[in-house]
Amino acid sequence: MPYISLSSMEKILKEAGAERVSPSACIALREILEEIAREISEKAVKIAKHARRKTVRGEDIWLAR
């Protein structure tokens, strides 16, 4: 189940300068961004566990990025 809305993807693409955006472009961008988010999240969890914490902090996300 997708976590990010297609309308958000369209907004991002239009802010980047696109005049028109196809639904397939929104879907592709969402899939890629969610994959990247999952990878960063997994790394951030490992960082938090390494620090012997159960809570993932913003700094963990930045380090994982």
Side-chain angles (χ1 to χ4, degrees), residues 2-42:
Y3 295 98
I4 304 171
S5 71
L6 291 178
S7 62
S8 294
M9 299 300 94
E10 184 175 7
K11 287 177 188 176
I12 289 169
L13 287 162
K14 286 192 174 186
E15 284 180 13
E19 291 184 34
R20 295 173 59 193
V21 180
S22 72
S24 65
C26 293
I27 291 168
L29 182 59
R30 176 174 65 188
E31 289 173 359
I32 290 167
L33 291 179
E34 287 184 349
E35 180 181 329
I36 292 168
R38 261 189 302 281
E39 291 170 3
I40 291 172
S41 297
E42 289 171 0

Side-chain angles (χ1 to χ4, degrees), residues 34-56:
E34 287 184 349
E35 180 181 329
I36 292 168
R38 261 189 302 281
E39 291 170 3
I40 291 172
S41 297
E42 289 171 0
K43 289 178 185 176
V45 169
K46 287 180 184 178
I47 291 168
K49 285 183 179 179
H50 180 74
R52 298 178 187 211
R53 287 186 277 106
K54 293 181 180 179
T55 303
V56 176

